[in-house]
Amino acid sequence: SQQGEEDPQALSIQEGENATMNCSYKTSINNLQWYRQNSGRGLVHLILIRSNEREKHSGRLRVTLDTSKKSSSLLITASRAADTASYFCATRRRDDKIIFGKGTRLHILP
Amino acid sequence: GAVVSQHPSWVICKSGTSVKIECRSLDFQATTMFWYRQFPKQSLMLMATSNEGSKATYEQGVEKDKFLINHASLTLSTLTVTSAHPEDSSFYICSARDQGGSVYEQYFGPGTRLTVT
């Protein structure tokens, strides 16, 4: 079963623009993670945000978490062609197993 | 950093045959490993949890007799797709939890692309 729902499902933006992806989840969490997956490749862990954190930064990435709304957002600033990938949010079930959202396919246009 | 490898990275097999995929934790021990399946343009779906020295636990809807899991050592789990059919063609990704780390330290392999003809 999937815990998260990302929107949009697909997003195309011009290089240099900012990209925002949202994730909603259903149950209470201890933390939420974001992963990137280039086409046909494995996962790259981007960032983990704990339930007591509201915002976290890592380079050009900014993640927010609103536990009252059960939602998170991932912002990529000054996008580059290399950012073209699928992005997934992931949470843990009560049994601590990682469950992924449906993902957002991001395409950066040159 | 912790590394998880998978072998093979891609495999083509004929319908009706079985294929084995290996998942190894290279620099840590993993009592628990996970197997995910991903169809094109879809998300990763958890298939089963592999526990060293005991039986795997399967997610609802996953056929345990079709997807055989063996976690014989602290660094190796295998997934065997038995009597493969074209609909089993997918990207299989394993993940390993570091026994010596916190429950949050879980690492993903690069995936194995299976094509059944």
Side-chain angles (χ1 to χ4, degrees), chain A residues 38-76:
Chain A
N38 290 83
S39 180
R41 307 292 291 273
L43 294 174
V44 174
H45 183 260
L46 295 177
I47 200 164
L48 179 150
I49 186 166
R50 301 186 191 284
S51 59
N52 61 353
E53 298 176 306
R54 290 296 167 259
E55 188 171 309
K56 199 163 183 179
H57 296 254
S58 177
R60 294 184 295 114
L61 306 180
R62 173 182 166 237
V63 169
T64 63
L65 179 64
D66 187 335
T67 54
S68 67
K69 295 181 180 179
K70 291 187 169 61
S71 67
S72 174
S73 68
L74 170 66
L75 168 68
I76 303 174

Side-chain angles (χ1 to χ4, degrees), chain B residues 23-80:
Chain B
C23 174
R24 293 181 185 273
S25 56
L26 296 187
D27 47 4
F28 64 97
Q29 294 185 325
T31 52
T32 306
M33 293 185 174
F34 307 88
W35 288 96
Y36 292 81
R37 179 170 55 184
Q38 184 181 32
F39 293 110
K41 296 187 178 181
Q42 294 189 25
S43 186
L44 288 78
M45 299 295 292
L46 180 65
M47 297 175 65
T49 302
S50 169
N51 302 295
E52 189 266 337
S54 65
K55 289 184 179 180
T57 55
Y58 293 81
E59 294 296 302
Q60 191 173 6
V62 177
E63 300 175 61
K64 60 181 180 182
D65 294 331
K66 179 167 185 63
F67 299 100
L68 301 180
I69 292 173
N70 187 344
H71 193 153
S73 77
L74 287 173
T75 59
L76 173 64
S77 174
T78 60
L79 169 69
T80 301

Side-chain angles (χ1 to χ4, degrees), chain A residues 1-2 30-31 33 35 37 40-43 48 50 88 92-93 95-103 105, chain B residues 34 36 38 41-46 48-49 57 59 91 93 95 97 103-106 108-111 113:
Chain A
S1 61
Q2 288 181 283
N30 291 322
N31 62 67
Q33 304 181 76
Y35 290 84
Q37 183 183 37
R41 307 292 291 273
L43 294 174
L48 179 150
R50 301 186 191 284
F88 298 94
R92 288 180 182 272
R93 294 189 320 206
D95 57 4
D96 273 331
K97 295 176 184 178
I98 293 178
I99 302 299
F100 291 87
K102 292 184 176 179
R105 294 193 307 278
Chain B
F34 307 88
Y36 292 81
Q38 184 181 32
K41 296 187 178 181
Q42 294 189 25
S43 186
L44 288 78
M45 299 295 292
L46 180 65
T49 302
T57 55
E59 294 296 302
F91 194 53
I93 299 176
S95 178
R97 183 176 289 169
V103 68
Y104 303 122
E105 293 184 34
Q106 187 170 327
F108 287 84
R113 183 161 304 283

Side-chain angles (χ1 to χ4, degrees), chain B residues 17-21 66-67 79-84 88 92 114:
Chain B
T17 63
S18 296
V19 60
K20 180 185 288 187
I21 302 170
K66 179 167 185 63
F67 299 100
L79 169 69
T80 301
V81 182
T82 63
S83 187
D88 297 324
Y92 292 87
L114 169 64

